[in-house]
Amino acid sequence: MSTSENISDIKATESAPKRQLERARVDFSSTKTQMLLGALIMCVSCLVAYGQTVLVTFLGQDLTYIQAIADTLHGSFDLVLANPTSILLIDYLLYHTNTLGFHVSNILLTASCAIVVGLITLELTGRLGNRNGALSAIWAGMLFSVYPLHAQSVAIVSGRIELIASLFYLLSVFLFLRYRLIEEKQYFPLSLISGALALLLSAQSLSLPLVITLLALHPGRNRYAARKNALADAISCSGLYWLMAVLSFFIHPHYLGPVDKKTLLLLFFPVNETVISVSKIVPLALVPLLCALMVLLLKSQIAKIRLNQRTQTDLIGSVPTPPSSTITALILVVWLALTILPLTAHDSHLFLAAAPFSILIAILSLESGNTKDKDAKLLTSCGLVAMTLLYLAWSYLLAINLKPTVEGSLIVENFRRQLINAATIDGNITLTNWPKNHQGVPLIGAAENIKLFLAPPFIDRDLSPGLKVMNETMPISDSNKIYQWQQAHGLLASVAKADSQPFSSSNMPWSASSKDYFINLLKGSPWQLVDSTSPGASSSSIVSSSAPVISLMKNSVRLWAGDKQAILSLNDKIDQPVLQENRWILKIKIADHSASTVDLAVRNYLDETKMSKLAGKRIGADIFFDLRELDNYLSNGESQQIGIVVAAGEVVSISGVEFVSVKSAQ
Amino acid sequence: MNVIPQISKPASAEPIEGSSRLFTALAVGVIVLVNLFTFRHSFGGYFLADDFVHVDYLYHAIDQNFMPLLANFWGNWMQAQGTTFYRPLISLSLALDYLIGGPNPLTFHISNWLYQTVASCLMFLVAGQIGEHFRPNEKTLNRSLALSAGVIFSVYPLHCEVVNWVIARVDSIALVFCLLSFWLYLKSTRSKNSLHYKLSLLAFVLGLMSKEMAVTLPPTLLLIQLLSTTTADTKSAKGRLLTSLNQTKTFWFILFAYLLFRLLVLGTVSGGYEGSVGQGLSNSLARRWLDGSLLRILFPFNIDVFGSKHSLSLQLKIVYVAMLVNFTATLVLAKSRSTAVRGLLFAVGWLVLSLLPTYQVWNLTPALQGSRFIYYGTAPIALIFAWLLFPTEERNWPVLSSLRLAAAGWFSIILLIITTGNNQPWNHAMKEVSLFRKAVTEQASALKATDKLSLLNVPHTYRGAHMLYNAATMSVLLSKPLTPEAIYSKVISFEPATFGDPDLINISRWRNKTGQDTSSYRWDRTTMTLEPIVFAGENYNVKLPGLDLSEQTKFISPELSLSAQAPDYVDVLLKKEQIKQWPEAVITLTALAPSSLQCQFSLPLNKARADGHLRFDVSEHKQWLALGQINQLTLSIQGLAPQQQLHILGLETGNLQGQRPKIESDEKTLVEDGDGICRPRGKMPSFNYDASIVPGAVSAYVEVSKPNSWFEHYSGTFRDTSKSPEALFSHTLGKLKGNGVPITFTGVKGPGFYQMRMAALDQDGNVIGYFSDPLNFQL
């Protein structure tokens, strides 16, 4: 539209005598509208991000929780009060054991949390003067909705406790901020109630009173407060929260968790290490944060110049300067620190910590503080770029983190189906192993959980009495049919209890007399054999300097690794090690007074690439290797082979290798 | 708590004194925290190397009513032999720690950390003053300059030696006083406060009493006055020089008084190390300066921790380039360049001045041993970096200053990471010495009263960190006050008396000392435990037949059963024409014990004797003895072309019995102590010798070393076959055998460590066989 047309339009409206109704329109400049739209976008963002989780089955502790609820409905009420999972009761009534419903509730709860995070940001930015509409609020909510460490809290049904506790926690904070805004009394009791619920549900809410106190001390506090002294005011309005927190100690006596140094790192590199190595995502995780940091630096510098200009030109009028965002940021940093402290985060996946983190990032990079229009626009656009980058990066990382849960769910479903079949056909069965976890996601935690699969409410009949689960470190001693879960094939296979074969290495102590054994052993391997007991045969003692050497001595055998690490495979194939308890502990005898040590290599007999190393325990001259420590050895159902690892450049003298029984090793 | 009025208060044009004070307080707090974080592991440390000498000194000084400490003020430091220093304050600071916490290392480490931290804080203050000195109007820039200089200094990776090694506090104390003096001087020139000036002079005097490095302060002050803009009013160079000299005249006066005092008291102006250590230092002077050690100041990676190439070095390069680009670009764009250039010139000049006094001792090894010599120099280095980052701020471009701050932060973090790595060897070394003491104490306490413990493989260094250099330090470690019982009397040590190759051992002494009532142990570095040495096997000469070796192959001998004490050498028999063909090729001999413990020796073919025998003198090496029993030998060769083969005629072991004369103390008037040094017990200390055991001997030839010099320092072996040009005294004795020969006949006078050795001569006066193992004595 050209300028002339514009002017004529205005003239036309001015000259029109007839009064016209204002045309119905959406006022996008209104914060309320922006926020409403923002809430919708957050919901969509959550649905898109977590959509793939709706078909995830019950994992980890879910089964026990559901079982407890089912028991409750059948008249056994003793569990319900002690168990925080009774909040799943409504879901159970609605959906029974259909996981879809549980997951939809979880996603909706996450979306609500995101919206409340947005609202809190709105309240905080409102106190800083220029809040850029609901821009930072929406971005805070959006960032929260895709924070990558939410994966397990949202995708696993029992993550619900954390979701609800966080929701009440955040609501309590938001309502408190509303109450402080213009002293609207009705919000205060509401905030207290949510706070109480949050404290009741989860130990991580313990940080609530401190956060409330800090927010009460925020300089942007309302001017209608009853007490003029800031400290007295803050104490008076946060006192009740402290009281509640103290009372909550009676419900959660075990606040102190183990200190995990990795938590802080996890905050910035939120990725499941078993899926992708942290080093691979460093640029992805850091670049957006660095961008945000640059925006922040730029902002502070511009603000400084503006301040200088103003003081120099003496333009300071009577307009009170709103408090700088620094105080807000500091409060948020403290909040963040509280949520990741081991004191309160012993069982969380940083779900709550994501709230102050997202708010902090959004406020620091988007809220443009006291600067004037021209800079503000530039800064906001820079900030928006950073936020978009961060959102995309986090969405990607979230997708990575969700993958193991979804895959794990398929594994559990598959296992469950086959288990029910086996139990139906054979009646009495013994299970040697089961899918325990998949890339850091717990699948079926305790052995007792497996019995739940074979009982109502998950199936119609109760097949659980016929099931025995083998305690993996103790030998089997009954005549049930034995089943083994073979993770690589996704198969629950029945196995026959085999007679144990002799192990050739253990037949003799290693020395020159076992020359024939070594000649057989070394066929096709790079090892060179030297018989050092026969004097004068020096021509046979010239060996290649790069390949590993075995030198036979009178009472021992000396292994020389070349420039590279060398593995001496002991030629025996070990079938079904889980059923052969005399193949569980290996003893290697080292020659006297030697500090040198060796590792054990355990590899798949057919697939050389599947190899793991085991360090032994030294007792005198013997090194004991407890092969039960290796998950792959016992329970993946495939034949195994073991070997001795000699590190590059090392020389070891070994005088014997043998398997010993579990009893004698103890 | 209402912030609004505070912020809306109009800031006055002049910086508020309060805000400056607040900034200083905050910055000092930051620097203290950074230092605390960087060196947090050193508090749990122990004493190392020379520290023991000082602990012993303090222990005895306190018995003598502190008189030795006072004597330091008018004499050579610690009344020591072999060194000439004037550092009375250092012993005083150590004595203070000793009085507070006794021989507990914690007190000493806390004060070491304090000196480093105070130096860092003073670096911050001095950098601020220097900034003010050159560009009084740029407050913000000077603050950034000061803070980054302070932080860079705090985390500079060359400080590990000074902070972790108790006695290396010499450098940090000297720097504290010099920086204090410098800071007060700069303050006094600005405020014309005479009290500051007087205090500055006092601090300078204290600095001179701490370390000789302080003499660089007057030239530094002169330099800053020459370059300052206020003296620039005087046009001519001569006028400028005179004005500047006039301003610093009292400092020069003190300096000359100090030098005069030194000359009177110590008899020398320069001082330093004497004997074969000092001689070794001056012989290697050029090598030590030119082997890339200067580059190590910029890339301070301990090669044993980080390897020869580390990814952080690329990051450092990027930061350095960024600093240079920043500096040049700012210079090009700035209207006035003079202050920026002057400041940088001063910083560089200060660095050069601080390196000058170290010319004699400078030795920054790839493992960063000797980084204490650059400690003083890191102050100007930190200033140079800070100055390159913040040269001038005429153009008020916010992004640039953010970037500069970010670069300073990044740089500090890189340095911090490197420092953490460089600290690791020191922490390990302190832990190992402490464990060593504990293990030896346990073993020795378990012995019968008459039995002795002989120790091999005492830990000398760990990745550049000093540990136990000699018998003297070990004797302190194992005596009061560090060990409750006097364990040392039960220990026989084979370590060098002062300094030297830790692997060399006087095998004659070992054979004499280790008998039935002696148990031998070696210290295992990997497990950090004391392991017994089992001397199993027999005493015979091994002979192995000929073989062909190429670069791709190695020879593994049949199983042997040879006691490690028996043979003196392993000979590889070679053809003479092949020696001529590949003189540079290196043969490596590896010996293995039944436990697979091994030791290695390498020699080039051109070291072969005239008869074609390439002789490995195995028995003078502790690592060979520590094997106890040799049950396999291997040979390999490097330096041949592919496809080429060296024919070895055979391999033999043998004993030198009958090829070396014997020389011993008489054990009455001259008695050998546990550290292998003989000390007189009467007025006429005398010795016994026997050269008649060498077939064909006509006369005996005796050599005595210069004081505090050791023959093996020059030749690297006890198996010399020719006369040493470094001998103080040499004499040919007609009698082949003598008992109770007084040492005084050699004309040796004055205190010090001496070494005496003997060879048998033939008709023509040539040495037959080898020199004897030496007799060491201290007068």
Side-chain angles (χ1 to χ4, degrees):
Chain A
M1 202 186 277
S2 73
T3 330
S4 59
E5 275 174 325
N6 237 343
I7 294 166
S8 64
D9 266 14
I10 293 164
K11 275 181 185 166
T13 43
E14 275 174 357
S15 58
K18 201 166 62 183
R19 183 172 171 270
Q20 282 184 331
L21 283 174
E22 193 187 357
R23 282 174 73 184
R25 63 190 175 88
V26 181
D27 180 10
F28 280 109
S29 62
S30 131
T31 307
K32 199 178 252 174
T33 320
Q34 287 183 3
M35 198 54 216
L36 203 64
L37 271 173
L40 276 175
I41 298 172
M42 285 175 220
C43 289
V44 173
S45 165
C46 281
L47 280 174
V48 172
Y50 302 103
Q52 53 176 323
T53 67
V54 290
L55 291 176
V56 169
T57 182
F58 295 115
L59 297 173
Q61 289 300 306
D62 295 357
L63 289 169
T64 18
Y65 293 155
I66 302 289
Q67 175 74 34
I69 289 164
D71 286 353
T72 312
L73 291 178
H74 289 95
S76 131
F77 284 91
D78 48 338
L79 283 172
V80 82
L81 291 173
N83 201 334
T85 42
S86 40
I87 46 174
L88 291 170
L89 185 66
I90 304 166
D91 290 68
Y92 184 77
L93 288 176
L94 285 174
Y95 318 116
H96 198 57
T97 52
N98 183 358
T99 50
L100 177 78
F102 286 84
H103 285 294
V104 172
S105 316
N106 266 15
I107 295 175
L108 288 179
L109 278 171
T110 315
S112 324
C113 285
I115 293 168
V116 181
V117 165
L119 289 171
I120 293 175
T121 320
L122 204 60
E123 286 303 316
L124 286 174
T125 47
R127 296 170 184 211
L128 303 176
N130 177 2
R131 69 179 168 193
N132 249 338
L135 192 64
S136 18
I138 294 172
W139 274 106
M142 295 276 283
L143 288 180
F144 179 84
S145 71
V146 293
Y147 187 66
L149 290 182
H150 289 177
Q152 288 197 24
S153 314
V154 183
I156 296 181
V157 171
S158 48
R160 173 74 56 88
I161 310 154
E162 207 172 348
L163 298 190
I164 294 199
S166 304
L167 180 62
F168 282 124
Y169 184 108
L170 294 169
L171 260 180
S172 176
V173 171
F174 165 66
L175 291 167
F176 177 77
L177 286 170
R178 265 318 281 260
Y179 154 70
R180 296 286 286 173
L181 183 66
I182 43 172
E183 207 84 359
E184 285 174 283
K185 291 269 190 275
Q186 69 274 30
Y187 286 112
F188 190 58
L190 284 177
S191 165
L192 277 177
I193 293 168
S194 339
L197 284 171
L199 282 164
L200 192 68
L201 280 170
S202 163
Q204 62 171 341
S205 314
L206 196 68
S207 60
L208 182 66
L210 199 60
V211 173
I212 293 281
T213 314
L214 284 173
L215 287 172
L217 282 168
H218 192 277
R221 72 201 172 90
N222 76 81
R223 290 167 200 179
Y224 314 100
R227 289 160 213 266
K228 288 298 160 218
N229 181 315
L231 199 60
D233 177 43
I235 290 169
S236 75
C237 65
S238 59
L240 280 174
Y241 293 89
W242 283 104
L243 187 67
M244 289 194 317
V246 171
L247 287 178
S248 76
F249 260 108
F250 294 106
I251 313 167
H252 312 288
H254 310 294
Y255 275 126
L256 285 165
V259 181
D260 187 7
K261 282 182 186 168
K262 277 184 126 182
T263 314
L264 195 65
L265 210 65
L266 211 59
L267 193 69
F268 295 97
F269 304 106
V271 76
N272 182 338
E273 269 184 78
T274 51
V275 186
I276 189 167
S277 76
V278 173
S279 56
K280 275 189 186 152
I281 57 115
V282 165
L284 188 68
L286 272 191
V287 165
L289 285 175
L290 283 180
C291 287
L293 193 71
M294 281 312 292
V295 173
L296 177 68
L297 271 174
L298 196 69
K299 216 167 76 180
S300 67
Q301 291 293 330
I302 290 185
K304 209 163 80 186
I305 295 172
R306 294 286 169 268
L307 199 69
N308 282 348
Q309 282 175 353
R310 232 179 303 162
T311 46
Q312 276 163 18
T313 49
D314 208 18
L315 269 181
I316 294 229
S318 53
V319 188
T321 322
S324 81
S325 48
T326 322
I327 306 268
T328 317
L330 277 179
I331 292 177
L332 288 169
V333 168
V334 175
W335 184 4
L336 182 59
L338 286 175
T339 48
I340 59 174
L341 269 186
L343 178 73
T344 58
H346 63 99
D347 60 347
S348 77
H349 303 106
L350 293 179
F351 188 82
L352 189 59
F357 195 44
S358 327
I359 301 176
L360 184 67
I361 294 175
I363 286 191
L364 287 183
S365 16
L366 283 174
E367 185 277 325
S368 50
N370 315 332
T371 49
K372 290 274 177 283
D373 327 299
K374 204 178 76 188
D375 302 323
K377 245 182 202 163
L378 172 77
L379 285 174
T380 311
S381 356
C382 291
L384 277 177
V385 172
M387 287 305 96
T388 318
L389 281 177
L390 191 59
Y391 181 80
L392 291 176
W394 280 6
S395 307
Y396 175 68
L397 292 180
L398 177 65
I400 290 179
N401 289 352
L402 280 174
K403 220 173 108 197
T405 318
V406 177
E407 286 171 358
S409 155
L410 294 176
I411 293 171
V412 171
E413 266 306 293
N414 186 11
F415 170 74
R416 192 173 74 98
R417 245 192 348 260
Q418 295 186 41
L419 181 68
I420 294 171
N421 281 343
T424 317
I425 295 164
D426 289 324
N428 290 336
I429 58 170
T430 299
L431 200 63
T432 61
N433 68 322
W434 60 94
K436 295 187 187 74
N437 55 51
H438 175 66
Q439 298 185 324
V441 176
L443 298 184
I444 302 171
E448 298 78 59
N449 285 357
I450 301 172
K451 296 208 170 200
L452 297 180
F453 277 135
L454 300 178
F458 298 98
I459 60 168
D460 312 335
R461 294 156 296 147
D462 190 356
L463 296 173
S464 55
L467 175 73
K468 269 196 179 169
V469 181
M470 177 189 155
N471 183 350
E472 64 169 335
T473 54
M474 290 321 283
I476 302 172
S477 56
D478 60 50
S479 55
N480 280 359
K481 192 155 188 190
I482 300 163
Y483 277 90
Q484 182 177 47
W485 173 248
Q486 299 179 352
Q487 180 83 54
H489 309 296
L491 190 70
L492 189 67
S494 137
V495 290
K497 197 168 177 183
D499 291 327
S500 51
Q501 307 100 341
F503 186 74
S504 53
S505 310
S506 62
N507 291 348
M508 58 199 94
W510 281 15
S511 70
S513 59
S514 38
K515 191 170 179 180
D516 292 338
Y517 164 71
F518 283 104
I519 291 173
N520 279 327
L521 184 66
L522 300 179
K523 269 178 197 158
S525 80
W527 288 83
Q528 313 167 73
L529 189 69
V530 174
D531 185 358
S532 300
T533 49
S534 55
S538 63
S539 58
S540 66
S541 310
I542 303 274
V543 293
S544 158
S545 55
S546 54
V549 182
I550 299 180
S551 150
L552 301 177
M553 322 281 278
K554 276 192 211 87
N555 300 316
S556 63
V557 166
R558 179 167 280 158
L559 310 182
W560 315 60
D563 346 341
K564 280 177 295 201
Q565 163 190 300
I567 298 178
L568 178 67
S569 293
L570 306 176
N571 230 356
D572 296 63
K573 175 173 155 190
I574 303 172
D575 289 321
Q576 293 297 345
V578 71
L579 302 177
Q580 301 190 41
E581 62 256 29
N582 51 354
R583 292 282 176 275
W584 287 356
I585 292 175
L586 186 80
K587 182 176 92 176
I588 295 184
K589 203 170 168 56
I590 300 275
D592 295 341
H593 303 297
S594 167
S596 55
T597 185
V598 288
D599 281 348
L600 202 65
V602 178
R603 73 174 185 90
N604 197 308
Y605 192 74
L606 300 171
D607 185 359
E608 224 174 298
T609 55
K610 285 185 189 161
M611 195 186 77
S612 38
K613 270 198 215 167
L614 183 68
K617 205 164 78 184
R618 181 100 190 223
I619 300 171
D622 300 332
I623 307 180
F624 287 93
F625 297 90
D626 189 343
L627 286 151
R628 289 173 294 178
E629 286 168 25
L630 283 179
D631 246 10
N632 275 341
Y633 177 75
L634 271 194
S635 53
N636 73 355
E638 284 161 15
S639 304
Q640 304 288 325
Q641 187 182 17
I642 54 179
I644 297 171
V645 185
V646 188
E650 291 277 319
V651 187
V652 204
S653 299
I654 293 178
S655 49
V657 174
E658 61 178 323
F659 271 112
V660 293
S661 69
V662 178
K663 268 183 204 155
S664 68
Q666 279 163 352
Chain B
M1 251 323 269
N2 201 339
V3 180
I4 300 168
Q6 280 181 7
I7 287 196
S8 57
K9 212 189 280 174
S12 56
E14 278 293 307
I16 311 154
E17 195 61 30
S19 97
S20 158
R21 229 174 261 156
L22 181 70
F23 172 74
T24 309
L26 280 176
V28 166
V30 166
I31 289 172
V32 170
L33 286 179
V34 167
N35 273 300
L36 194 62
F37 180 78
T38 315
F39 298 107
R40 63 194 182 283
H41 294 305
S42 71
F43 294 115
Y46 200 70
F47 299 107
L48 294 174
D50 286 3
D51 296 349
F52 294 108
V53 180
H54 291 266
V55 170
D56 189 50
Y57 179 71
L58 292 173
Y59 180 62
H60 290 109
I62 286 169
D63 274 354
Q64 300 168 29
N65 299 325
F66 302 99
M67 279 318 282
L69 293 181
L70 290 178
N72 282 333
F73 283 92
W74 53 79
N76 190 9
W77 189 30
M78 299 177 60
Q79 301 81 46
Q81 297 163 12
T83 53
T84 354
F85 294 120
Y86 183 71
R87 296 168 182 177
L89 273 194
I90 303 303
S91 293
L92 226 49
S93 88
L94 290 166
L96 187 68
D97 292 343
Y98 194 93
L99 285 180
I100 295 171
N104 185 353
L106 177 69
T107 337
F108 291 85
H109 281 289
I110 289 178
S111 49
N112 257 35
W113 175 83
L114 268 181
Y115 297 125
Q116 150 78 9
T117 309
V118 172
S120 312
C121 295
L122 282 167
M123 185 64 222
F124 159 76
L125 294 173
V126 167
Q129 284 294 331
I130 293 173
E132 295 273 305
H133 190 81
F134 284 105
R135 39 187 201 202
N137 298 321
E138 300 190 69
K139 300 275 175 211
T140 331
L141 195 65
N142 287 338
R143 280 183 181 180
S144 312
L145 173 87
L147 185 59
S148 44
V151 172
I152 290 172
F153 182 85
S154 307
V155 297
Y156 210 72
L158 291 174
H159 292 175
C160 303
E161 190 171 48
V162 172
V163 180
N164 289 300
W165 191 19
V166 171
I167 190 52
R169 66 169 61 181
V170 175
D171 293 83
S172 49
I173 293 181
L175 185 65
V176 163
F177 285 124
C178 289
L179 285 179
L180 183 66
S181 173
F182 196 3
W183 177 57
L184 287 167
Y185 173 80
L186 288 175
K187 261 180 103 77
S188 75
T189 52
R190 282 164 47 77
S191 64
K192 307 284 177 230
N193 186 335
S194 72
L195 178 69
H196 283 163
Y197 190 71
K198 281 172 198 157
L199 286 176
S200 165
L201 291 175
L202 178 68
F204 175 52
V205 172
L206 293 177
L208 286 174
M209 288 169 136
S210 309
K211 197 186 177 183
E212 295 72 8
M213 286 300 294
V215 298
T216 57
L217 186 66
T220 312
L221 298 182
L222 181 69
L223 184 69
I224 199 169
Q225 285 299 350
L226 278 176
L227 286 168
S228 92
T229 36
T230 44
T231 21
D233 302 341
T234 332
K235 283 282 184 306
S236 73
K238 192 182 163 197
R240 244 179 195 222
L241 187 64
L242 285 177
T243 326
S244 311
L245 272 176
N246 190 31
Q247 274 162 325
T248 54
K249 59 175 186 271
T250 330
F251 286 90
W252 289 103
F253 176 71
I254 292 177
L255 177 61
F256 287 122
Y258 164 77
L259 292 178
L260 199 65
F261 179 75
R262 230 180 126 80
L263 189 66
L264 285 175
V265 167
L266 303 183
T268 165
V269 171
S270 67
Y273 296 94
E274 293 162 356
S276 53
V277 179
Q279 224 170 326
L281 282 172
S282 27
N283 291 341
S284 55
L285 190 67
R287 180 189 57 75
R288 282 183 287 113
W289 277 96
L290 300 173
D291 67 344
S293 60
L294 288 176
L295 207 62
R296 260 171 242 141
I297 300 177
L298 285 183
F299 298 95
F301 295 98
N302 182 334
I303 197 167
D304 291 341
V305 178
F306 291 93
S308 57
K309 199 87 187 158
H310 196 268
S311 60
L312 279 174
S313 120
L314 176 71
Q315 293 200 40
L316 272 185
K317 277 179 202 159
I318 296 174
V319 177
Y320 292 147
V321 170
M323 281 177 182
L324 287 176
V325 167
N326 167 53
F327 186 75
T328 17
T330 319
L331 270 200
V332 170
L333 294 173
K335 284 179 208 129
S336 141
R337 301 181 181 97
S338 138
T339 54
V341 175
R342 278 162 193 273
L344 188 67
L345 272 182
F346 164 70
V348 173
W350 186 13
L351 174 62
V352 173
L353 281 174
S354 65
L355 284 179
L356 282 181
T358 66
Y359 80 97
Q360 194 204 355
V361 287
W362 171 263
N363 191 9
L364 186 58
T365 67
L368 301 186
Q369 206 169 51
S371 61
R372 60 185 187 280
F373 300 124
I374 189 66
Y375 187 82
Y376 195 100
T378 48
I381 289 172
L383 181 66
I384 292 176
F385 289 139
W387 199 274
L388 287 175
L389 279 166
F390 304 99
T392 174
E393 199 173 52
E394 282 187 14
R395 283 164 203 252
N396 206 343
W397 201 33
V399 179
L400 190 63
S401 42
S402 310
L403 279 175
R404 281 172 176 171
L405 280 172
W410 183 25
F411 184 46
S412 310
I413 289 171
I414 300 174
L415 291 182
L416 178 64
I417 295 171
I418 303 175
T419 308
T420 311
N422 290 353
N423 262 331
Q424 181 263 334
W426 288 96
N427 296 327
H428 180 101
M430 295 194 279
K431 191 176 150 207
E432 193 174 342
V433 170
S434 170
L435 286 175
F436 173 75
R437 191 195 67 82
K438 220 172 129 197
V440 174
T441 313
E442 268 170 24
Q443 288 294 352
S445 316
L447 287 180
K448 274 186 271 169
T450 50
D451 285 5
K452 298 264 184 184
L453 186 77
S454 58
L455 282 180
L456 285 186
N457 291 359
V458 171
H460 274 238
T461 60
Y462 179 77
R463 297 182 169 182
H466 317 275
M467 292 174 79
L468 293 169
Y469 274 137
N470 49 36
T473 49
M474 205 165 83
S475 76
V476 182
L477 176 72
L478 299 174
S479 315
K480 279 183 181 179
L482 293 176
T483 302
E485 272 181 87
I487 294 298
Y488 188 68
S489 56
K490 289 185 172 183
V491 172
I492 309 174
S493 119
F494 297 89
E495 306 312 306
T498 54
F499 295 96
D501 183 349
D503 191 42
L504 279 186
I505 182 168
N506 179 336
I507 186 69
S508 311
R509 189 170 158 248
W510 169 270
R511 285 176 185 148
N512 286 342
K513 287 285 170 186
T514 51
Q516 284 298 320
D517 53 351
T518 322
S519 23
S520 308
Y521 283 88
R522 67 180 174 87
W523 178 249
D524 192 298
R525 302 287 308 255
T526 42
T527 56
M528 297 215 260
T529 48
L530 214 53
E531 301 286 340
I533 307 175
V534 185
F535 286 104
E538 296 146 43
N539 193 344
Y540 69 110
N541 285 342
V542 175
K543 278 198 169 55
L544 296 175
L547 51 113
D548 291 310
L549 262 191
S550 75
E551 185 126 324
Q552 288 78 38
T553 57
K554 71 176 169 195
F555 164 73
I556 296 181
S557 81
E559 191 171 359
L560 311 169
S561 175
L562 181 67
S563 167
Q565 294 187 88
D568 276 319
Y569 59 84
V570 176
D571 271 1
V572 176
L573 280 51
L574 299 166
K575 282 185 187 162
K576 284 177 190 164
E577 60 272 18
Q578 285 197 317
I579 297 173
K580 275 182 202 139
Q581 198 178 348
W582 303 294
E584 304 293 326
V586 174
I587 288 190
T588 304
L589 171 80
T590 311
L592 288 108
S595 62
S596 286
L597 191 72
Q598 48 179 320
C599 73
Q600 246 179 24
F601 307 94
S602 293
L603 277 181
L605 297 193
N606 58 17
K607 287 277 160 86
R609 292 144 47 98
D611 54 1
H613 288 212
L614 185 63
R615 178 158 291 185
F616 293 89
D617 290 310
V618 288
S619 68
E620 63 169 355
H621 291 281
K622 285 177 194 161
Q623 46 167 336
W624 169 276
L625 271 182
L627 298 185
Q629 182 194 350
I630 313 295
N631 88 332
Q632 235 172 359
L633 293 171
T634 77
L635 281 181
S636 62
I637 185 159
Q638 289 90 39
L640 296 185
Q643 314 303 333
Q644 282 179 329
Q645 279 199 335
L646 179 80
H647 183 67
I648 290 173
L649 299 169
L651 193 88
E652 293 178 0
T653 66
N655 198 290
L656 287 181
Q657 204 145 29
Q659 297 191 46
R660 315 208 292 166
K662 256 197 252 171
I663 182 163
E664 288 166 351
S665 62
D666 68 350
E667 291 298 317
K668 280 177 217 141
T669 53
L670 188 67
V671 178
E672 190 184 89
D673 289 334
D675 56 359
I677 307 291
C678 302
R679 292 183 179 88
R681 294 281 194 279
K683 277 183 185 166
M684 289 280 279
S686 43
F687 64 94
N688 306 335
Y689 74 92
D690 185 2
S692 64
I693 46 176
V694 183
V698 171
S699 53
Y701 173 79
V702 74
E703 270 182 355
V704 177
S705 71
K706 290 174 194 161
N708 305 316
S709 301
W710 313 88
F711 288 119
E712 69 266 22
H713 282 197
Y714 302 107
S715 60
T717 172
F718 285 124
R719 306 280 160 85
D720 275 335
T721 50
S722 53
K723 299 170 183 173
S724 171
E726 303 292 342
L728 172 77
F729 164 87
S730 58
H731 187 70
T732 310
L733 302 165
K735 271 168 110 188
L736 284 179
K737 202 169 172 180
N739 277 335
V741 183
I743 280 177
T744 40
F745 96 92
T746 59
V748 170
K749 263 185 270 167
F753 290 102
Y754 295 89
Q755 212 175 32
M756 182 190 284
R757 61 181 192 176
M758 178 163 282
L761 298 185
D762 63 8
Q763 288 289 0
D764 312 324
N766 294 324
V767 175
I768 310 175
Y770 293 89
F771 267 89
S772 67
D773 272 326
L775 172 78
N776 301 323
F777 57 94
Q778 187 183 15
L779 293 181

